[in-house]
Amino acid sequence: MDAGDDGQDQEEYRQDDMDLSEVSSGEDGAEENDAHPDNWGLGIGRRFINILRDRTGAWVVRDFRPLPEDSSPGPDDEFSENLANSLAESLSRTPPANEVDETAGSSQAHNFDTELPTNHSYLGRMESVSGMEYYEPGKRYKIHVCYHHSIIFPGQKLPMILSSNQAFLLIAQSDEHSVGLVFPPIGGVQYGVTCQVYEKNVKSPAWRTDLRAILRAHQRFRVCTKTQVLPPIFMRDVLEVEVEILPELSLGHPLSGHFRGSLEKFLPHSERVRLLYSHARTWPLFVYEQYDIGKVMMKIKHFVAAHNIENMPIDPIMCSFWSAKNLPLEQEDKEKIFATNYVEVRMMIISQKLNDPYYYHCHECQGQVAKFSEVFAMSKDGVQASYCNPGGFIHDTVTLYNVERHAVVVERSKSTEFSWFPGYAWKIAICSRCRSHLGWQFVAEKKNLRPQNFFGLSQRSIVLKL
């Protein structure tokens, strides 16, 4: 067929298509009013399909253009005809748009709500406890304290299951406001933190049975009495000791001590003013900025953003405690941060450790378990949070996406009882080398929950090393 004949045939098909549209609009005028505006036509080979969508969103196949009587179908025409039939059949089976959206929505993956672990719903129904007691820094007070196996920083939440005797001493005799937790000695001095009981179990009076409560740490203190609070079995011992409340101090900007004037208030915000001040000093500006708390906080912010860690506090004092709990710091560094009263010193300790590649190792055999780069925040409290098991033991748990291959063995049996993360079942994870307990693997109960699985390692079972 030459070019002229082909153009003539195309003109005939175009005319026939127009006639077919006119016939459809004339015969089915009533249906046209209910038609969806997405009407369209599709030409496949020598076939033509007139397709529209009605107001319910369903696809409707109106017409098929028959082959001309004076032509016999060839191989290409048979292929086109089969393709057109298949397309028409598939479109006719397409469900309405609203049904498709509902189906997609039910199977769509959704992320875990990080607010849920902070509620500690596994402890049962809780009620709020009003009131908070604030102690004046630098003064001494007598408070009831009990022992805790690790450092608790101000701002941290702590779930607890207290025995009847311990609950009576801590809660009833302390007017339900503040209690104290003490830690292992740091440099020969025993430190602790005051805690407010702000939620407790409504069905467990302190004088009848064990009490489930959630505490929030507030102020640091130093134990002044000579009697050392030793670690008891299951935290049964409660003592009344004299403590000194530690202050929270700030040295200010490193350039603020050299000049006094109207420009001093612009030091934290204006680089031009800082540059002007530094020109009159011995060292260049970058030396002073190494001790600038604003620059250190910006460095921490970039670090946590690279590791997808959220909820970094804006206040420098709370940020120093939050960073000590969530960032890669060795136990010695955490002890220094807790015992230091100056926020700038804490920030400098944290800043010096952010450039090192850290790994988690088994506490018993020192085998490498996981990289710190696998850490992520499964809770609004951060990458590390405290959770309580049914026996009352508190685990400071860090959450990771994955562990090193062949480093951890996970048991097959799983359970949802007392799960710290609603919607996940837990499996016990042990070290593949020494068979000591490392933590747990959490597996989602639903396929559309993300992440599908992750690891929670107990801080007592691992150590952080370069």
Side-chain angles (χ1 to χ4, degrees):
M1 182 181 294
D2 55 16
D5 295 337
D6 182 66
Q8 184 178 359
D9 287 347
Q10 291 180 2
E11 185 65 29
E12 290 180 1
Y13 293 155
R14 190 178 301 109
Q15 184 65 31
D16 291 339
D17 296 342
M18 294 172 63
D19 295 340
L20 184 59
S21 301
E22 293 175 0
V23 171
S24 301
S25 60
E27 294 178 354
D28 302 326
E31 291 184 13
E32 191 68 19
N33 294 332
D34 296 334
H36 193 277
D38 291 342
N39 299 350
W40 54 284
L42 177 63
I44 302 179
R46 303 178 68 176
R47 300 275 294 186
F48 186 86
I49 308 174
N50 190 9
I51 304 172
L52 59 86
R53 291 183 69 177
D54 60 15
R55 294 189 183 277
T56 63
W59 290 102
V60 179
V61 181
R62 278 286 185 84
D63 299 292
F64 288 91
R65 184 183 185 280
L67 290 171
E69 297 180 356
D70 57 346
S71 61
S72 58
D76 295 339
D77 297 327
E78 292 179 0
F79 172 77
S80 301
E81 182 177 2
N82 295 333
L83 180 60
N85 291 332
S86 301
L87 178 60
E89 183 179 359
S90 62
L91 287 174
S92 63
R93 292 198 304 262
T94 304
N98 55 351
E99 295 182 7
V100 175
D101 293 341
E102 291 177 2
T103 306
S106 61
S107 59
Q108 185 178 5
H110 64 276
N111 295 327
F112 177 74
D113 185 4
T114 54
E115 289 281 0
L116 296 178
T118 62
N119 298 328
H120 300 279
S121 58
Y122 54 89
L123 293 177
R125 184 182 175 186
M126 311 290 283
E127 70 174 4
S128 299
V129 178
S130 60
M132 182 185 71
E133 189 170 359
Y134 180 80
Y135 298 102
E136 186 176 349
K139 290 191 175 182
R140 296 189 177 189
Y141 300 88
K142 286 188 176 182
I143 62 174
H144 288 87
V145 300
C146 61
Y147 181 85
H148 189 67
H149 58 81
S150 63
I151 297 177
I152 300 296
F153 291 95
Q156 187 174 344
K157 286 184 179 180
L158 192 70
M160 298 183 71
I161 299 180
L162 307 173
S163 65
S164 57
N165 178 56
Q166 186 182 26
F168 177 77
L169 290 174
L170 286 179
I171 309 302
Q173 294 190 11
S174 300
D175 297 327
E176 295 187 348
H177 286 168
S178 292
V179 297
L181 294 178
V182 295
F183 323 126
I186 301 175
V189 180
Q190 196 157 37
Y191 292 93
V193 64
T194 63
C195 297
Q196 173 205 1
V197 180
Y198 76 99
E199 283 188 2
K200 67 177 183 179
N201 193 289
V202 297
K203 296 182 179 180
S204 300
W207 56 88
R208 294 182 183 175
T209 183
D210 292 351
L211 177 69
R212 299 184 178 190
I214 302 178
L215 286 67
R216 186 191 297 272
H218 282 292
Q219 294 177 278
R220 300 175 303 122
F221 64 76
R222 177 179 61 89
V223 178
C224 299
T225 56
K226 297 181 179 180
T227 304
Q228 184 178 359
V229 183
L230 299 176
I233 301 177
F234 299 112
M235 297 174 58
R236 298 295 179 184
D237 297 336
V238 176
L239 299 176
E240 185 180 27
V241 297
E242 185 180 18
V243 301
E244 179 184 352
I245 305 299
L246 299 178
E248 303 296 342
L249 305 176
S250 176
L251 296 173
H253 195 277
L255 287 171
S256 62
H258 302 292
F259 297 94
R260 298 294 179 185
S262 59
L263 293 179
E264 185 179 357
K265 61 182 179 181
F266 298 105
L267 272 176
H269 312 290
S270 175
E271 185 174 357
R272 184 177 180 181
V273 173
R274 294 195 297 269
L275 185 62
L276 179 64
Y277 272 41
S278 64
H279 284 334
R281 305 306 303 168
T282 306
W283 306 104
L285 179 60
F286 77 90
V287 176
Y288 295 99
E289 287 189 342
Q290 293 180 7
Y291 301 90
D292 183 2
I293 191 171
K295 295 291 184 179
V296 176
M297 286 190 65
M298 187 61 65
K299 182 178 180 180
I300 297 175
K301 184 177 180 180
H302 290 322
F303 180 86
V304 300
H307 288 78
N308 297 322
I309 304 174
E310 300 178 353
N311 304 315
M312 172 183 165
I314 301 177
D315 179 69
I317 295 176
M318 297 309 299
C319 181
S320 64
F321 294 133
W322 180 89
S323 301
K325 183 172 69 76
N326 289 279
L327 300 187
L329 299 175
E330 300 178 19
Q331 182 64 24
E332 182 180 356
D333 297 323
K334 293 183 178 182
E335 293 176 354
K336 290 180 181 179
I337 290 173
F338 188 92
T340 301
N341 295 334
Y342 293 95
V343 62
E344 287 82 4
V345 178
R346 299 182 200 139
M347 286 298 194
M348 290 307 302
I349 296 174
I350 297 170
S351 177
Q352 294 171 0
K353 300 294 181 178
L354 295 184
N355 299 324
D356 299 328
Y358 281 92
Y359 296 87
Y360 287 108
H361 295 256
C362 175
H363 187 271
E364 297 296 330
C365 66
Q366 304 301 313
Q368 184 172 313
V369 175
K371 301 177 181 178
F372 182 83
S373 58
E374 295 290 338
V375 166
F376 76 106
M378 196 65 179
S379 169
K380 283 290 185 180
D381 290 338
V383 301
Q384 178 183 325
S386 299
Y387 304 98
C388 186
N389 66 7
F393 189 85
I394 300 172
H395 289 275
D396 301 323
T397 306
V398 57
T399 50
L400 305 94
Y401 282 117
N402 213 335
V403 296
E404 292 292 306
R405 190 177 181 182
H406 306 308
V408 177
V409 177
V410 179
E411 292 188 357
R412 293 186 178 181
S413 60
K414 62 180 181 179
S415 174
T416 58
E417 183 180 1
F418 227 76
S419 179
W420 301 332
F421 303 94
Y424 287 85
W426 52 270
K427 301 178 180 180
I428 296 177
I430 62 176
C431 178
S432 61
R433 302 175 182 85
C434 63
R435 301 296 174 177
S436 61
H437 176 259
L438 292 177
W440 307 265
Q441 183 187 35
F442 293 89
V443 182
E445 291 291 285
K446 297 181 179 180
K447 294 183 179 180
N448 59 347
L449 185 59
R450 297 291 182 272
Q452 271 292 291
N453 57 77
F454 64 95
F455 285 86
L457 303 183
S458 176
Q459 286 285 7
R460 295 199 70 183
S461 303
I462 55 176
V463 291
L464 195 64
K465 293 183 178 181
L466 290 174

